[in-house]
Structure formats: structure tokens, C-alpha cells
Amino acid sequence: MSVGTAANRHGAAASKALPPVAIVIFGGGGDLASRKLVPALYNLFLDGWLPDRFAVIGSDRKLLDDDAYRRHLREGVDAFSRRGRADDATWSTFAKHLGFLSLDFATASAAETLVKRLDATDTALGGQAIRVFYFAVPPNVTPTITARLGPALAGGAERVRIVAEKPFGRDLASARALTKTLTHVVTERQIYRIDHYLGKETVQNILAFRFANSLFEPIWNRRYIDHVQLTVAEDVGVEHRGGYYDSVGALRDMVQNHLLQLLCLIAMEPPLSFNADEIRNKKVDVLRAIRPIDPAHLAEVAIRGQYGAGVSEGPPVPGYREEPNVAPDSATETFAAVKFFVDNWRWEHVPFYVRTGKRLPAKASEISIQFHPAPHQMFPPAAIEHWQPNRLAIRVQPSEGILLRFQAKHPGPVMHLDPVDMLFSYAGAFRVPSPEAYETLLLDVMRGDATLFMRDDQVDAAWSVVTPMLDAWSAERPTDFPNYPAGTWGPEAADQLLRRDGRRWMLPTTLDPPEPAPPS
Ligand code: BG6
């Protein structure tokens, strides 16, 4: 995590001073490389963050030559970069750093071919490059590749880094096995487990908001906070990823990683320093404090759903079971809502409600902190008919920012209160575009800063929270799937989950501007 911004020229100059870097992307012919990784590297290049001497080698079983690979990546940049189409001259300068290497790790010669290419890259870069091996492959392929990597790993912790994409395993046991496979060839310090939510500016800003300001910390506890809601809603369906998603589901895909990481940032104790291990220690404390869920009472705290056909943004869309590569009787959840408790002094009895789903009405990720009502209500009932509890909303996306909702007197001769918003918006305050999460994370790997990556004990603790739920759900087939139409906020049972507690899900504030009523 950089101490600075993308616009910080001193930071960029420091990056120039980085030693040469060679990034090998396993699965380099896949979607992640063309949609996210290479557009992110290209933007880092444009902003002057990459070292002068760098090489990116996409590796895959497919047979491509360097030129065909570069053309493929250019299409990805044009389609998916936050900056839109690449400029021809700049792209061709950048593209000189890109190459392709066809490798089939099922064959013993793969290791030798890789080492030869890396040695040649060192020569071309004029020094021993830092080697970043990016595993953009399904976790079941990782052991085969890792077993052959040995000779390419020479140079130890200072030189070699492994980046592991999510999903990191599919449950506690497989995540542990994966860590064991990796730590057989490198040390834990060399492993960078990606959770791209941690690279989002708004997510990093939670640390700044909480720990660089004294205003909110005194009220950041059970005495003032009634409950916390975390919503990560997507309007898209499973798209072209049915084959992957159908064996995964929302709990594994989103809750185990992104949502629990957001919860950690909200619930963690103040770190002593801005140090990777210190911050990760504080986060792991939260995961360990999450109250274990009793599988026998799972339905009281966790709800699953699957979308059926419906209407999303206009045209009718098919149900999940009709999506390509999804089983027609699939029991995979596309929606999950869970009530967690963090059993420690600060958060005793404060529920953290999290929900995520595909084909919900909008793409909106928001953390809402709802405060207790004022202890004594002195206003007459007519004045407070629109009263709402104080709410602090951290907008992760879209309209990134932080919003504080409180009551104000409506102008006019009668006392009438309406909720109003105080808004900090990134776009308005900083007037510089935010980098994509992968830009931040890739740069951190090159710099050797692991703050925003998941350490083995974090992954272990997160899977420990989620695995009993996964087991209980897979043991009992849902009988009501599909149970929410596309374009709605999930199954009715998710609403009941909060209603039982006398609460309700709050709409993300981007969809729910306060509408002051005219005074009577
Ligand atoms: C990924 C999930 O980790 O996050 C996807 O695998 C999901 O299913 C995506 O769509 C959401 O990320 P973002 O950044 O678009 O909110």
C-alpha cells in the first residue's frame, strides 16, 4: 500500500528506482490477464509507476506467438481499461515489454523452458529481475505448476514472489493444503494472496477514516452503534462464468473473502503502526472473534437464495438455472445473507448483517453503520414522522465516498425534521481518477508490500467461519430454489432475518437520496 497517491510524482520516481521486474502470468491467455491484469499494468506504465526495466510474460498451454498475444492483450486494454482505448504509439512502447511463453506443466521440460526464458529476460533487462509468479489459474492447477517451479525460484525471499488469485481453496482443508503446497517451495512472506477488494481506494480509505481522525473512534463501539450492514450487490448475473460459479456459490465467492475483509476493517482495533503484519494481526483478531455459527441453527442466521427469471434494467433475463454451463437443477446459491457477531468488548451484541447477490436491482457496495436513536425524543410526533436513525454510509462503489445522514429542521414556520446528507465524494474532493484495485495490488507486489494481501492465518480464520455453513448447506438441498426473481433484493427470508430483530435492510444511499417532504 503506497503512502501517497497515483498523482504523487515522488512516489512515481521511487517506483522508477525499483529493481527490474519480470512478471510471469500463469493462465496468461485467460480472462483475468486481459480484462484486469494487463490493463492495470498498462495504467501503471502510463502513470510512470512501473520500473524502467520490466517484462511481462504470459504463459499458457495455448500456442500463441508474441505478436498474437500482444494483439489479444491490446483488445483487452481497449475494452476494459478505465482509460478506454489505448493510444497506438504508447501501446507499442508498452507492448515491447510483453511476451508469450507456451508451457504445459504436465511435462517435465516446462521448468527448463521457463528458467531459460527467465534467464534470457534477466540478460535483456540488464540485471537479476525480481520474479513475480502470478497464478491466474484455478486452485487445482496450482500444485502441478508449483511442483515444477523449483529451479525458477532461485534467489529466495528478496527476489521471488508468488501471487495467488482467489479462490484460495474451496474450504478450510483445501486452503490449508494449498498453503502447504506453496510453502513447500517458498516462505509465507513470499506469498501474496489477492483479495481485490482490499485494493479498492474506498476500502483502503476505511483505515484512513477510522485511524487518522479522532472524531469517530470514540463512538465506534456498541454504546453508540446499533448495528452494521454490509451490502455488496451486483446487477449482473453469472455471465459467462457459469462453469466456475456453479461449483462455488455466493458464500465462497464473496462472503469468505471480500465481505469478511470489509467486516474486519470496520471491526478491527486500532493498529499500532502502518505495518503489514501489525494491520493483518488486528484483522485476524476480528476473524477469530466472530461467533461460530451453530449448523443446527443456521437458518436463524444465514439465508441463501438463487435468482429465477426476471427483469433487470429493462429486458427480461433468464434464471440462474438457465444460464450457460449451469446445471438445470443447480442448488448453488447466488445470494447469501448472514448475521455475524464479533464477540469482543467493543462489539458485544452488535449484529453485522452482510448480504451479497447476483441479479439484484443495482451494482452497489456499501457499508452502513447505524447509530442508536437519541436517548430521549423531545419532538412532537408530527415533527419526526420522517425521522431516521443516524447513519454513516461508506460507499465502496459506485459514487465512491462517505455519507453521514442526520436530522435537520425543514425550513418553515413549523418544527418538522427531515433526514439530510453530508457527503464526501472522492470525485469532488480529489479530482483525480482512482486507480483500479489491481493497479494498487500489482504495484504493492513489485514493492514487496504485503499489507493488502491475505496472510495464511487470515485465510484460515475466514474459512473457519464459513466452512461449517458451507457444509450445512451442502448437506441439505434447498427446496425453494429459485427463490427470488432477477432484479429484486433477494429472497423474502433475507428480509425476515432482519425483521425478526426489529430492523430492515437499508437501501444503498446511492439509490436512496433523502427526499424531504414539504412542510405541512
Ligand atoms: C469477484 C467474484 O471476486 O468479485 C465475482 O468472483 C464478482 O463473482 C466480483 O462479480 C465483483 O467485483 P467488483 O470489483 O466488480 O465488485
Side-chain angles (χ1 to χ4, degrees), residues 166 196-197 200 234 241 253-254 258 358 363 397:
K166 72 170 274 269
H196 80 278
Y197 264 59
K200 291 183 190 272
E234 296 187 273
R241 294 166 73 228
D253 189 46
M254 300 294 285
H258 308 326
K358 296 210 181 272
K363 181 167 179 71
Q397 59 194 22

Side-chain angles (χ1 to χ4, degrees), residues 46-66:
L46 291 180
D47 288 335
W49 287 100
L50 290 186
D52 291 330
R53 293 178 292 161
F54 75 94
V56 179
I57 303 164
S59 151
D60 218 307
R61 282 197 310 195
K62 294 176 193 167
L63 267 181
L64 283 178
D65 61 30
D66 286 349

Side-chain angles (χ1 to χ4, degrees), residues 380-392:
I384 53 167
E385 58 190 359
H386 297 125
W387 178 87
Q388 288 182 14
N390 291 142
R391 170 179 182 187
L392 182 79

